[in-house]
Amino acid sequence: MHGAMNHKGNAMLQSFGSNVFNEAVMRERLKKETRRALRRSIEKGQRLDPALADEIAAAMKDWAIEKGATHFTHWFQPMTGFTAEKHESFLSPQADGRAMANFSGKELIKGEPDASSFPSGGLRATFEARGYTAWDVSSPVFLKEDDGGHTLCIPTAFCSYTGEALDKKTPLLRSMEALSLQAVRVLHALGQKEVERVIATVGAEQEYFLIDRKYFEQRNDLIFTGRTLFGGRPPKGQEMEDHYFGSIKERIAAFMRDLDLELWKLGVSAKTKHNEVAPAQHELAPVFHTTNIATDHNQLTMEIMKKVANRHGLVCLLHEKPFAGVNGSGKHNNWSLQTDTGQNLLDPGSTPAENAQFLVFLAAVIKAVDEYADLMRLAASNPGNDHRLGANEAPPAIISIFLGEELQGVLEEIQTGQARQASGPRFLDIGTSTLPHLPRDTSDRNRTSPFAFTGNKFEFRMVPSSISIAGPNFTLNTIVAEALRTIADRLEGQGDLHASINSLVREIIQKHSRVVFNGNNYAQEWVDEAARRGLPNVSNAVDAAEAMLSSRNIELFERHKVFTRPELEARHDIYLENYIKTIRIEALTMIDMARRQITPAVLKAGREMAKSIRTITEALGTDRLSRIRKNLEALTERLERFIEETDALEKAVQAADGQHDIKEHARAFRDQVFTAMNTLRQTGDQLEMSVDASSWPFPTYRELLFKV
Ligand code: ADP
Ligand code: MG
């Protein structure tokens, strides 16, 4: 056993990146000039010479075939938030009846999946455009292994022929460009002339639940919606904070080992943490990467988690709130800025000049987040997160920034021009003083903040667990690009740079410090305080979607060439359609479970009770079973109500679907359907608690959460 594990450990190290067409492979298989041209294409966005593309494609094909691949695919990320692929064989038949393996530069660079069923929000109709996929040279090509064989996957952007983005990657790449452009302007103004590119870096920690597949398969709600639509709270939840680990350890550990191995092969450097707060909940943290690769890696991580779980007789739930009453799942999107010279721009540094630069970039983030809180909120919204935000141990729906006391103190001194305390480090003048030591100790961190500064990066903790992180990151990149743009405008060509920086940072802090909050975000006091400060508190995904249509935000995205107005309008509609579809599927699943599972089961349980009463009464010859009778009466009444509420839910769905305007349609689902679902659930959960356990028609929270 031990030997086998050691062997596995070594295999893991050896296999890291073994399925990636990475630098090492390129060194072996590509000419030096070709590699150099490719690097220029990656780093500077220069077009690749078609002859070189042919050479690269041939090398990729040979590498893939040697590793057992038979097919290739353009791997893309349509607006569903999932990944899509269309496999094509390398084989091409020859005139003499034999076949040859072929893969040209053209096939590498551009593909035409007939992917017309993906949502386009009307963009296709408007522009009469088919979709095509284009190789994203900045994300490595990789080999996917599964039961269907080995497939060479080429990360691609998915656009219409006239260039409208039909996916998640295109705006992300555009936002990286925008951010780099503005950040470089600021750095040049600050005297850092050697920097040519700034890259947003991201590490996305992924939370997830693992449950036993045999229980999953008996629950239509989990199968169809990924979350439980019924389920009474078991006597034990997460209050003991013991993670219920004893007997499950082996099985989960085996899953994690296998998961690591699969991810490592793809070059995803995962370090798993075993447990999260809720029972059956876990987390995986990767090593950070460029925004673009981190996003691809997170998509792969989610996919592989599901696949590996299956192999272990488990099911991986990525929904934001699979279980009521215990923690939900999020993604902690760690985000920072890195120069091509290797500096982290959100790292305070140790000299006055570094500090000045740090404070300028910090101020930019604060300004961006305050000014575009509505976009941040949108970036963290999906139907599932409406259950999570503001509930058990999750940030509320209010956007705020945690900076920590030390940094907060520094900003206050800058703002007021007065030292806080007579003794100790002072920070009054940017560019001449150095920052006091900022502790990077994890123990002292505020874990309740939706957007926390953690020493050398920001951690966006509101992000839903199941979505692509492209949205949160193109949002961050774009709003910070905008703040940096206005800062660059101010600093460029200034004679007295020192004074300009001082007044600029002071102004930004004065204007935007309302968004900074270091206290407990989970407390009601903060909700009240935030309202006094005038910070928006958008409670649901439907309202959050409005941010896509405000002229201010459209201007922002157009200015930075991340989205055009039609693209945003299309996304808005797709977003609301997705909301409507999600809630409708949930409602219909509830109705189905209510009518075909719960109601018959409760009726049967009632019949058994009635029989027992009759038998006992006969046997004893008395009629004194008043409590048992009352139970039966209560059960019957509850069931009556349950049936009525099921009918009401069905009517609510029908009424909502009568709405033609998309916003009204979504609001009807939020206000009528969703409310009717909550009512039905309450009664359903009461029924669960009032009949004998063996008569309940599907596994309960007990099995789902505690018997993994
Ligand atoms: P901690 O565990 O103290 O929160 P870690 O260093 O483990 O901090 O980081 C947590 C996550 O943040 C990891 O996914 C990590 O890769 C990521 N991360 C660390 N530094 C950066 C950075 N400069 N930019 C983006 N993400 C980062
Ligand atoms: Mg974290």
Side-chain angles (χ1 to χ4, degrees):
M1 182 68 208
H2 237 89
M5 271 165 70
N6 279 339
H7 176 73
K8 254 196 164 159
N10 287 335
M12 214 134 93
L13 286 176
Q14 279 162 15
S15 66
F16 186 78
S18 63
N19 281 350
V20 183
F21 194 79
N22 54 20
E23 277 293 324
V25 179
M26 284 192 241
R27 261 197 305 276
E28 268 171 36
R29 292 173 183 260
L30 292 177
K31 288 201 215 90
K32 201 168 177 184
E33 310 86 79
T34 312
R35 288 204 317 270
R36 210 174 281 149
L38 184 57
R39 194 160 318 117
R40 269 199 306 277
S41 183
I42 293 171
E43 283 165 11
K44 307 219 164 68
Q46 285 175 9
R47 240 186 115 237
L48 203 62
D49 176 341
L52 293 184
D54 275 333
E55 189 197 326
I56 296 169
M60 282 176 178
K61 177 202 68 189
D62 291 344
W63 172 76
I65 288 178
E66 279 166 37
K67 291 180 90 56
T70 49
H71 288 71
F72 70 93
T73 180
H74 275 200
W75 186 74
F76 60 105
Q77 305 174 20
M79 289 187 264
T80 54
F82 307 115
T83 55
E85 37 198 79
K86 180 186 174 194
H87 295 194
E88 282 175 66
S89 165
F90 285 122
L91 287 187
S92 63
Q94 302 296 299
D96 63 0
R98 285 182 302 179
M100 247 181 69
N102 255 331
F103 183 50
S104 67
K106 240 169 95 190
E107 286 170 302
L108 166 64
I109 289 176
K110 194 164 173 173
E112 291 179 35
D114 177 31
S116 51
S117 302
F118 288 116
S120 77
L123 278 178
R124 284 233 183 72
T126 319
F127 297 91
E128 294 178 51
R130 275 178 304 160
Y132 75 92
T133 49
W135 180 28
D136 166 18
V137 288
S138 62
S139 185
V141 164
F142 59 92
L143 202 67
K144 212 187 264 181
E145 290 177 3
D146 54 34
D147 292 346
H150 294 195
T151 307
L152 180 70
C153 296
I154 300 143
T156 53
F158 181 42
C159 295
S160 77
Y161 259 92
T162 37
E164 283 76 30
L166 297 174
D167 70 346
K168 301 258 175 192
K169 188 188 266 280
T170 306
L172 187 67
L173 294 172
R174 292 175 183 164
S175 74
M176 291 173 75
E177 281 309 308
L179 182 63
S180 180
L181 188 74
Q182 303 303 336
V184 168
R185 279 183 66 206
V186 171
L187 287 172
H188 285 190
L190 293 174
Q192 285 231 47
K193 306 278 191 209
E194 68 290 356
V195 175
E196 288 178 22
R197 232 180 129 69
V198 170
I199 293 154
T201 50
V202 170
E205 302 167 62
Q206 176 73 47
E207 291 181 329
Y208 61 99
F209 281 83
L210 285 177
I211 62 170
D212 195 306
R213 195 165 73 203
K214 69 173 178 282
Y215 300 127
F216 169 88
E217 277 168 358
Q218 297 174 59
R219 300 239 2 174
N220 285 339
D221 46 4
L222 288 175
I223 292 172
F224 293 127
T225 75
R227 75 177 180 103
T228 54
L229 299 168
F230 290 104
R233 248 191 75 103
K236 181 175 184 216
Q238 63 192 44
E239 59 277 73
M240 301 296 280
E241 303 196 341
D242 57 354
H243 316 290
Y244 214 75
F245 217 45
S247 60
I248 60 172
K249 204 170 182 174
E250 273 297 306
R251 189 176 186 192
I252 301 297
F255 159 85
M256 286 177 172
R257 246 190 341 259
D258 214 3
L259 175 63
D260 276 347
L261 187 65
E262 291 298 332
L263 289 175
W264 281 40
K265 280 193 214 163
L266 293 168
V268 181
S269 34
K271 49 173 191 166
T272 42
K273 281 186 213 155
H274 281 243
N275 275 321
E276 264 303 314
V277 183
Q281 193 186 25
H282 312 279
E283 185 194 273
L284 180 144
V287 173
F288 71 95
H289 233 301
T290 67
T291 319
N292 172 31
I293 295 177
T295 304
D296 286 357
H297 280 182
N298 184 250
Q299 294 296 117
L300 282 174
T301 301
M302 292 194 286
E303 186 181 324
I304 291 183
M305 277 177 166
K306 294 193 159 179
K307 211 182 274 181
V308 172
N310 252 322
R311 246 186 246 159
H312 289 257
L314 298 162
V315 172
C316 171
L317 301 177
L318 293 171
H319 193 281
E320 290 68 32
K321 197 77 177 178
F323 305 100
V326 296
N327 257 34
S329 298
K331 263 194 258 254
H332 292 175
N333 190 90
N334 294 273
W335 180 93
S336 191
L337 293 170
Q338 193 168 316
T339 64
D340 54 355
T341 52
Q343 284 178 68
N344 178 348
L345 296 172
L346 292 175
D347 201 323
S350 52
T351 64
E354 283 170 346
N355 286 161
Q357 180 184 299
F358 164 72
L359 287 167
V360 168
F361 281 90
L362 181 74
V365 176
I366 295 173
K367 176 176 155 73
V369 172
D370 188 35
E371 285 184 343
Y372 294 99
D374 58 341
L375 286 175
M376 289 286 283
R377 178 62 185 87
L378 169 66
S381 72
N382 75 338
N385 229 19
D386 282 1
H387 303 275
R388 172 177 164 252
L389 296 180
N392 315 69
E393 308 277 313
I398 306 160
I399 299 288
S400 70
I401 303 178
F402 169 83
L403 291 178
E405 245 186 68
E406 287 75 12
L407 198 49
Q408 166 85 8
V410 168
L411 296 191
E412 273 165 19
E413 289 184 10
I414 294 172
Q415 189 181 340
T416 59
Q418 278 168 12
R420 273 197 308 169
Q421 359 160 241
S423 63
R426 290 175 183 194
F427 196 93
L428 293 171
D429 194 15
I430 301 167
T432 56
S433 345
T434 56
L435 284 173
H437 175 69
L438 301 176
R440 218 179 278 168
D441 174 15
T442 49
S443 59
D444 130 286
R445 277 194 203 157
N446 182 323
R447 305 215 160 259
T448 68
S449 174
F451 195 68
F453 181 68
T454 54
N456 60 359
K457 61 185 186 289
F458 277 96
E459 187 173 10
F460 190 12
R461 300 205 182 100
M462 251 169 138
V463 178
S465 51
S466 69
I467 68 167
S468 157
I469 57 167
N473 289 302
F474 67 59
T475 302
L476 268 170
N477 292 350
T478 310
I479 65 176
V480 174
E482 172 62 11
L484 291 171
R485 182 186 71 86
T486 59
I487 290 173
D489 284 351
R490 278 273 298 267
L491 296 182
E492 272 167 0
Q494 284 297 325
D496 189 349
L497 187 62
H498 180 116
S500 305
I501 296 174
N502 259 310
S503 64
L504 177 90
V505 172
R506 179 168 300 144
E507 261 171 49
I508 290 178
I509 291 160
Q510 264 161 6
K511 193 148 170 225
H512 299 291
S513 61
R514 64 172 194 160
V515 77
V516 177
F517 179 64
N518 292 311
N520 179 7
N521 282 256
Y522 297 169
Q524 180 58 39
E525 290 84 73
W526 168 232
V527 177
D528 303 337
E529 162 75 18
R532 276 195 296 279
R533 293 190 190 183
L535 299 177
N537 184 356
V538 178
S539 70
N540 63 84
V542 177
D543 287 342
E546 283 295 307
M548 266 178 277
L549 297 183
S550 85
S551 50
R552 191 170 161 267
N553 293 338
I554 294 175
E555 241 166 65
L556 166 84
F557 283 119
E558 290 201 320
R559 174 179 295 134
H560 293 279
K561 299 188 169 57
V562 174
F563 285 120
T564 61
R565 176 188 288 270
E567 284 174 337
L568 281 166
E569 286 169 351
R571 261 157 224 260
H572 170 267
D573 288 3
I574 290 169
Y575 181 94
L576 288 189
E577 272 161 21
N578 175 56
Y579 180 89
I580 293 165
K581 283 181 201 158
T582 305
I583 310 288
R584 187 192 292 113
I585 292 169
E586 289 184 348
L588 297 183
T589 304
M590 272 192 111
I591 294 169
D592 187 73
M593 290 169 82
R595 290 206 176 130
R596 305 199 315 135
Q597 294 187 290
I598 298 177
T599 301
V602 176
L603 265 177
K604 200 166 157 199
R607 199 162 60 233
E608 289 304 315
M609 271 170 88
K611 262 198 234 158
S612 303
I613 293 173
R614 209 171 31 237
T615 315
I616 297 169
T617 309
E618 270 171 26
L620 298 181
T622 74
D623 192 11
R624 293 210 326 265
L625 305 173
S626 65
R627 288 207 173 78
I628 302 178
R629 275 173 198 282
K630 259 200 197 114
N631 274 353
L632 180 57
E633 267 170 34
L635 184 71
T636 316
E637 266 164 36
R638 215 165 252 165
L639 181 60
E640 280 279 321
R641 182 147 43 94
F642 185 72
I643 294 170
E644 201 182 311
E645 288 165 358
T646 311
D647 295 343
L649 175 57
E650 189 174 45
K651 286 213 183 73
V653 174
Q654 282 160 359
D657 278 334
Q659 297 285 351
H660 294 298
D661 174 69
I662 189 161
K663 285 192 199 176
E664 289 307 323
H665 198 179
R667 284 186 200 129
F669 267 90
R670 179 193 64 194
D671 298 333
Q672 270 84 50
V673 178
F674 191 63
T675 314
M677 284 167 62
N678 287 339
T679 310
L680 181 64
R681 176 176 185 146
Q682 251 183 22
T683 312
D685 292 355
Q686 285 167 359
L687 285 172
E688 182 192 325
M689 296 307 177
S690 37
V691 297
D692 74 298
S694 66
S695 67
W696 201 244
F698 40 75
T700 65
Y701 274 27
R702 174 180 174 272
E703 288 79 35
L704 295 172
L705 285 171
F706 295 98
K707 298 194 71 178
V708 192

